[in-house]
């Protein structure tokens, strides 16, 4: 009986509602909340998807940029590694003295062009006890070296030697002068550095020396009965004798 009365009450309430009477007395708050919840979830999900999509695009662009950047660097490294290495302009190159073009020249002729380098040897031109012979060497048409054969006699002091004057500032030298880089003793004369070493053969001293002047480098081999003969030539070239 109670159930029937309850059903009639509900039916009357809804009939009055549809007939324009007052709304049925039922709490719709919870229903509204339930209906609103999916809408908020949908909006949140859409926003999340839009943000995620934007971040994915940004990440894709960054990855592409990094790939291009590292690809460029890698290609540049490959080009640099494969490219021929440039020669060091300061590195000395060598040639065989026998392969160079040799031209014998008197002092008067050769001193016109290289007077500053040869002025110290001018006494060999007029002294009765000294003699000098000059040779100009060229490689591929360019003068590279002056060779001088020297003889000197003073009292009981006699020596002879070979003198080479470099015209290339050390850039191009004959193979025969490589050993001068190993001279073991150093010093200076008139403020100019030199290095030398002395050996003894068949009763004679043989001295190799290199003297560096502002005008050029001088390479010499001196043979004589006195081991000090090389120092006479060093002083002469440095302008102290």
């Amino acid at each position: 009986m109670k159930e029937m009365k309850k059903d009639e009450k509900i039916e009357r309430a809804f009939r009055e509602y549809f007939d324009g009477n007052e709304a049925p007395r039922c709490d719709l708050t919870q229903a509204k909340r339930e209906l609103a919840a999916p809408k908020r979830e949908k909006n949140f999900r859409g926003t999340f998807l839009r943000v995620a999509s934007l971040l994915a695009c940004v990440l894709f662009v960054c990855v592409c940029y990094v790939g291009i950047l590292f690809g460029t660097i890698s290609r540049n490294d490959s080009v640099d590694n494969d490219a021929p290495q440039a020669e060091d302009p300061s590195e000395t190159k060598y040639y065989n003295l026998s392969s160079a073009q040799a031209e014998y020249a008197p002092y008067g002729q050769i001193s016109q062009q290289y007077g500053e380098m040869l002025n110290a040897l001018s006494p060999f031109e007029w002294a009765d006890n000294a003699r000098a012979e000059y040779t100009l060497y060229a490689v591929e048409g360019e003068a590279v070296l002056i060779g001088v054969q020297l003889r000197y006699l003073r009292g009981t002091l006699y020596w002879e030697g070979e003198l080479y004057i470099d015209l290339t500032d050390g850039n191009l030298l004959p193979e025969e002068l490589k050993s001068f880089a190993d001279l073991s003793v150093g010093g200076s004369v008139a403020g100019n550095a030199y290095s030398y070493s002395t050996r003894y053969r068949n009763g004679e001293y043989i001295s190799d020396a290199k003297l560096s002047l502002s005008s050029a480098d001088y390479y010499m081999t001196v043979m004589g009965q006195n081991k000090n003969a090389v120092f006479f030539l060093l002083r002469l070239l440095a302008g102290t004798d």
Side-chain angles (χ1 to χ4, degrees):
M1 181 66 69
K2 291 182 179 181
E3 294 294 331
M4 292 179 60
K5 291 182 178 181
K6 183 178 180 181
D7 292 340
E8 291 175 359
K9 184 178 179 180
I10 294 173
E11 182 180 356
R12 186 172 56 254
F14 273 96
R15 188 169 54 249
E16 292 175 354
Y17 172 75
F18 285 110
D19 291 341
N21 297 326
E22 60 177 318
R25 296 180 181 178
C26 39
D27 189 358
L28 300 180
T29 303
Q30 185 63 28
K32 292 180 179 180
R33 291 177 180 175
E34 294 297 328
L35 290 174
K39 184 177 182 180
R40 288 196 301 270
E41 181 180 356
K42 181 179 180 181
N43 291 339
F44 172 78
R45 184 179 301 171
T47 302
F48 174 79
L49 291 176
R50 287 195 296 272
V51 172
S53 176
L54 178 61
L55 290 177
C57 292
V58 172
L59 180 60
F60 176 77
V61 172
C62 291
V63 170
C64 292
Y65 175 76
V66 172
I68 294 172
L69 176 62
F70 278 93
T72 302
I73 294 175
S74 177
R75 288 194 297 273
N76 290 340
D77 289 342
S78 177
V79 171
D80 291 341
N81 292 334
D82 295 339
Q85 298 296 322
E87 294 184 358
D88 184 355
S90 64
E91 184 178 354
T92 300
K93 298 179 181 178
Y94 293 91
Y95 61 92
N96 290 318
L97 192 61
S98 59
S99 66
Q101 298 84 47
E103 178 185 353
Y104 297 95
Y107 177 83
Q109 175 184 335
I110 200 170
S111 64
Q112 290 180 5
Q113 187 172 358
Y114 304 104
E116 182 182 1
M117 302 175 184
L118 300 175
N119 284 338
L121 299 176
S122 60
F124 285 84
E125 295 305 304
W126 49 261
D128 294 333
N129 60 335
R131 182 180 176 183
E133 297 177 351
Y134 299 88
T135 303
L136 181 63
Y137 293 92
V139 174
E140 297 181 355
E142 296 292 332
V144 294
L145 193 72
I146 298 175
V148 188
Q149 294 289 331
L150 298 171
R151 291 181 177 85
Y152 179 84
L153 174 63
R154 183 178 180 182
T156 59
L157 176 62
Y158 170 79
W159 59 263
E160 59 181 297
E162 296 177 346
L163 173 66
Y164 294 99
I165 306 173
D166 175 34
L167 305 178
T168 68
D169 293 326
N171 295 321
L172 187 62
L173 293 175
E175 295 276 353
E176 291 81 354
L177 299 183
K178 273 188 174 181
S179 60
F180 282 81
D182 301 324
L183 299 180
S184 57
V185 182
S188 64
V189 55
N192 302 288
Y194 69 84
S195 56
Y196 81 101
S197 64
T198 301
R199 59 188 185 274
Y200 189 75
R201 186 181 68 186
N202 298 330
E204 289 186 334
Y205 288 98
I206 301 177
S207 301
D208 298 308
K210 175 186 175 182
L211 174 65
S212 296
L213 301 180
S214 59
S215 56
D217 288 334
Y218 295 75
Y219 300 82
M220 64 201 79
T221 297
V222 179
M223 297 167 286
Q225 295 178 345
N226 191 322
K227 65 180 179 180
N228 291 323
V230 67
F231 297 108
F232 171 82
L233 183 56
L234 287 170
R235 290 194 300 270
L236 181 66
L237 293 171
T240 62
D241 280 353

